[in-house]
Every structure is written in C-alpha cells, then in structure tokens.
Amino acid sequence: MWDIIALFKESLPSLISGLLVTLKVASISLVIAVVLGLIFGLMSIGKSKFLKALSIIYVDIIRGTPLIVQAFFIYFGISSAFGIKMHAVTAGIIAISINAGAYLVEIFRAGIMAVDKGQMEAARSLGLSYSKAMQKVILPQAVRKMIPAFINQFIISLKDTSILSVIGIRELTQSGEIIIASNYRALETWAMVGLLYFILIMVLSYFSRFLERRLRL
C-alpha cells in the first residue's frame, strides 16, 4: 500500500504536466473546431449547391477516416510533402480541430434547424437581411440549445488526445508510457492515468448535466 502511495507521489508531477498538455490541446482544438463547425454548418444549410457539396465532402472524409490516420497525414504526410517542420503539438491541434469540427457541423446544422422557421420570417419582415437575422436572431437561440453538445464534444476530444501520443506529444497518455519505461509498473501507472481521465471527464459530464437542467428552466 505504502509502495503504491510512494509511486503516486513520484509520478504525479509528470502526470499533471501531461494532463495540462491534454487540456491545452483539447481546449484550443475545440475553439477552432467551433469556428469550422459553424462555417461548414452554415454552408450545409445554405442555398449554394457548391458550398453544400464542400460541407458534405469535408464531413464525409473526416468522419470516414480514423483520427490516428489524420494525425499521421498531417504530421508526417504534409511535413514530408511540403518540407515543413511542424511541431507535434501544432499537428495534434490541427488533427483534433478538423476531426471535432466535422462532428460540430452536424450539431450546428441540427441546432439551427431546430429553431422555429417563424423566427427567421419574423426577423426578415422587420427588415433584417438573411445574414443579420442569422447572426442576431437564429444563432443565439441555436447556440443556447447546443451548449451541452459542445461540452460533450469537448469530452470526446479530450479522450481523443490520447491518440496523439503516437506522434510524440507528451500528453497524459504518453506521460504514463514514459513513467512505465522507467519503473516497469504498468498496472499501477495505467490505473493512475485512467483515474485522472475519469475524474476530469466526470467533472465535465456533471457540468454538462447541470447546464442542461439550467437551460430547460
């Protein structure tokens, strides 16, 4: 028992450092993903067939390929093809961003479509242009409905960062691998890594449920 406590104290600084990298990558990625999701979500409900097609292609390609392949393509493929020296964290953020963005496209599209059509008609009758009506009337109502879905996507992206250990990002999972390489205590170390993920994700899950209850009021 004391041996496990000693291992925990010894490993905690490295695991916390990895956890902070995980949070950094997931947070930055989600912000970028929200922008991508909004842009392609609006394209998917617009009148332009070309823009709709672009949105469909983006969503289908990203959702139809594994995240690990996307990470390898960005970090190794693009770097090799164009002679770009890309930092692993930068490649990881790009990979998580475009991956999460493809799922947020559907969240935005569904959220916007869930707003009563009469809201747009009323806004247009007051003299607002389509873009102004979308910006001032539709999106604020849609985003309010989508907040829990954003948090759920953040949780998914948070777990997805573990895949980025394959390109050398020292996030929580790779921190665990490095600790195991020095002490050969895989069972205890992976248990600690899993516990940190579990605590963080449970906190976010409860926060999501809390928001859902508040938004229903």
Side-chain angles (χ1 to χ4, degrees):
M1 181 65 181
W2 291 110
D3 193 31
I4 294 174
I5 293 173
L7 176 64
F8 181 76
K9 287 182 178 179
E10 180 185 340
S11 305
L12 191 59
S14 180
L15 292 176
I16 293 297
S17 176
L19 181 61
L20 292 175
V21 173
T22 292
L23 285 169
K24 173 186 173 183
V25 171
S27 300
I28 295 173
S29 298
L30 186 67
V31 172
I32 299 171
V34 167
V35 176
L36 289 173
L38 175 59
I39 292 171
F40 283 94
L42 291 173
M43 286 166 58
S44 71
I45 62 171
K47 295 179 180 180
S48 170
K49 291 183 179 180
F50 175 71
L51 294 180
K52 278 185 180 180
L54 281 180
S55 178
I56 291 170
I57 291 169
Y58 166 61
V59 171
D60 286 350
I61 289 175
I62 299 303
R63 294 180 67 167
T65 54
L67 175 58
I68 191 170
V69 173
Q70 296 163 17
F72 280 144
F73 178 81
I74 293 167
Y75 187 57
F76 296 112
I78 292 178
S79 297
S80 174
F82 297 99
I84 301 171
K85 286 189 176 180
M86 190 180 300
H87 194 281
V89 172
T90 302
I93 289 172
I94 294 171
I96 296 289
S97 297
I98 63 172
N99 185 272
Y103 290 91
L104 286 172
V105 169
E106 295 303 309
I107 292 172
F108 271 107
R109 187 186 66 78
I112 291 170
M113 298 298 288
V115 177
D116 191 279
K117 291 182 180 180
Q119 296 288 320
M120 175 61 79
E121 293 170 1
R124 295 301 300 274
S125 69
L126 292 173
L128 294 177
S129 64
Y130 177 84
S131 59
K132 283 291 183 183
M134 186 64 71
Q135 178 186 346
K136 301 289 187 181
V137 180
I138 306 301
L139 280 178
Q141 296 181 63
V143 168
R144 188 170 180 269
K145 299 174 186 288
M146 291 185 284
I147 288 175
F150 289 156
I151 297 174
N152 288 334
Q153 184 58 52
F154 180 68
I155 291 171
I156 293 169
S157 296
L158 195 68
K159 291 188 287 186
D160 283 347
T161 56
S162 61
I163 295 172
L164 302 179
S165 62
V166 299
I167 61 172
I169 297 179
R170 191 169 177 175
E171 40 65 70
L172 182 54
T173 299
Q174 192 177 79
S175 295
E177 291 173 351
I178 292 169
I179 292 168
I180 292 167
S182 64
N183 63 23
Y184 302 103
R185 298 180 65 175
L187 179 65
E188 297 94 331
T189 303
W190 285 126
M192 288 187 289
V193 170
L195 180 62
L196 287 175
Y197 273 119
F198 178 78
I199 291 170
L200 183 59
I201 288 167
M202 282 300 101
V203 169
L204 289 169
S205 297
Y206 282 119
F207 180 60
S208 177
R209 291 169 195 162
F210 168 77
L211 276 180
E212 283 189 77
R213 288 195 298 270
R214 289 298 299 270
L215 291 173
R216 287 195 194 111
L217 299 177

